[in-house]
Amino acid sequence: MATTAPSLRWRVIDIVTAAVLGIACGLIFFAWNQVGYAGYEILKAVAPGLGGLVTGVWLLGGTLGGYVIRKPGAAFFVELMAAAVSMGLGSQWAVETLYSGLAQGLGAEIVFALFAYRRFNVWVASGAGALAFAVEWVLELFISGNLAKGVVYNASYLVCGVVSGILLAGVLAWALTSALARTGALDRFASGRGARELV
């Protein structure tokens, strides 16, 4: 478990890295818009709400941005920027992609803020992924019409989405950060300097 006390002020390198992560995650989102949505439709046909299992990849911007940069607003900024890139490249959800980015980024940001941007481990990253989906789930009740789909669908979708957020956003962000830290690529960040404590 890593407990650090770095400065929470943004540096130029933090801004540049957040932008790069946002663009990279946006490209991942755009690719996943096709692959993930196909998987979503297949799983949805198997059981109500099961499609939530593929949603975690769309949450990766917030968890990865927050975990790497470790500054207030990083999770929100990277997720929102990734959503903007995905939308700009032609996401099938158009402007709703931005709404999702706002919701997902906010969910992840809340978890990092609860730990005052001082505690970082796989559990915190997983919590960020879980809450990112939970906030998205609330949004989808209204903008996607899920409220009319009934309790069984929504309960199943929430559970599956939270599991996906934990694994495909939280654990994956932790693993990617750990791998990058070991290469020395993150030496100018607390996430790199604390690499020995990441596990």
Side-chain angles (χ1 to χ4, degrees):
M1 181 167 54
T3 55
T4 59
S7 168
L8 297 182
R9 295 179 61 183
W10 282 68
R11 303 165 298 168
V12 172
I13 192 171
D14 297 322
I15 297 168
V16 172
T17 302
V20 170
L21 286 175
I23 292 168
C25 288
L27 293 172
I28 292 170
F29 290 1
F30 181 67
W32 196 246
N33 288 346
Q34 309 306 319
V35 178
Y37 187 66
Y40 175 88
E41 289 295 314
I42 291 169
L43 290 171
K44 187 176 74 171
V46 174
L50 202 60
L53 291 173
V54 304
T55 58
V57 173
W58 285 302
L59 313 172
L60 185 60
T63 54
L64 188 60
Y67 203 84
V68 168
I69 299 169
R70 304 186 176 188
K71 301 289 172 70
F76 183 80
F77 176 82
V78 174
E79 183 70 30
L80 182 59
M81 185 169 185
V85 169
S86 177
M87 183 186 73
L89 290 173
S91 166
Q92 60 265 50
W93 296 286
V95 72
E96 287 185 7
T97 306
L98 276 184
Y99 301 155
S100 288
L102 285 165
Q104 295 159 5
L106 178 62
E109 190 70 43
I110 287 171
V111 173
F112 292 118
L114 285 174
F115 290 94
Y117 307 97
R118 303 290 195 210
R119 190 175 299 270
F120 296 89
N121 55 42
V122 68
W123 303 108
V124 173
S126 296
L131 191 58
F133 181 80
V135 178
E136 169 68 16
W137 179 84
V138 173
L139 177 70
E140 289 186 28
L141 287 176
F142 304 98
I143 70 168
S144 299
N146 286 357
L147 198 58
K149 294 181 180 178
V151 174
V152 173
Y153 171 86
N154 281 298
S156 174
Y157 185 50
L158 177 60
V159 170
C160 290
V162 165
V163 168
S164 186
I166 290 170
L167 297 176
L168 297 181
V171 174
L172 182 56
W174 168 80
L176 287 172
T177 304
S178 298
L180 284 171
R182 285 193 293 272
T183 69
L186 301 179
D187 284 351
R188 297 188 66 184
F189 297 89
S191 51
R193 293 190 298 271
R196 293 186 303 276
E197 302 173 14
L198 283 173
V199 296

